[in-house]
Amino acid sequence: MSQNGGAARDPDAVARFVEEFALLLNESGIPRMPARTLAALMVDDRGRLTAAQLAEQLGVSPAAISGAVRYLMQVQLIVRKREPGDKRDHYSLLDDPWYEAIMSRDKELVRWQSMLEEGARAAGVDTSAGRRLSQARRFFAFVHAELPGLMDRWRAQEQRG
């Protein structure tokens, strides 16, 4: 592995981080193999590895990596790229993967609001279930309305360094 900021990387510590961070991501709902794959990409200085490199680093089969990268691309945390003349795909982190992942959920928030409103009407707006569904709809409407401002503040903070 490479040097970072003048300090030598500790391969054992990096491997431990990958597994521990993947476990944390897994506990948060990201499947285990995509979590490990994401963590491996995050600790790579370039943020870019081939499927073969990921499989070797994580000690898993190429099939496991195939499913993991498909999931990570679907949730917009990584992209697949191919260099001119190279026959291998490289999987790369986006410049700001967490921002992109959160912003991609914006359309889902609108769909969830609509479905929750429909559910509240179906359950009866004056029933306990209807009130619970309406509260969930209001929550997602609030998050949807606040998200652009929150993300703008994040970008401004990142520009300040």
Side-chain angles (χ1 to χ4, degrees), residues 15-68:
R16 272 193 310 279
F17 168 79
V18 166
E19 295 307 323
E20 290 172 11
F21 188 58
L23 181 60
L24 180 64
L25 292 172
N26 183 241
E27 290 171 355
S28 300
I30 296 177
R32 183 172 186 265
M33 217 36 249
R36 292 181 73 213
T37 301
L38 179 61
L41 284 166
M42 290 181 73
V43 298
D44 182 74
D45 284 336
R46 298 169 302 150
R48 177 179 157 245
L49 295 165
T50 66
Q53 289 168 323
L54 285 162
E56 181 180 339
Q57 183 176 335
L58 297 173
V60 299
S61 72
I65 296 300
S66 177

Side-chain angles (χ1 to χ4, degrees), residues 45-107:
D45 284 336
R46 298 169 302 150
R48 177 179 157 245
L49 295 165
T50 66
Q53 289 168 323
L54 285 162
E56 181 180 339
Q57 183 176 335
L58 297 173
V60 299
S61 72
I65 296 300
S66 177
V69 297
R70 190 176 325 109
Y71 174 89
L72 293 170
M73 287 187 301
Q74 184 179 19
V75 297
Q76 299 182 9
L77 286 169
I78 68 169
V79 294
R80 179 177 49 210
K81 296 179 181 178
R82 186 172 287 180
E83 298 296 321
D86 194 349
K87 295 182 180 171
R88 296 173 300 167
D89 290 331
H90 292 83
Y91 298 96
S92 302
L93 293 170
L94 296 169
D95 288 336
D96 194 349
W98 304 110
Y99 175 92
E100 297 299 332
I102 296 296
M103 289 307 289
S104 73
R105 297 287 185 224
D106 192 50
K107 290 177 188 155

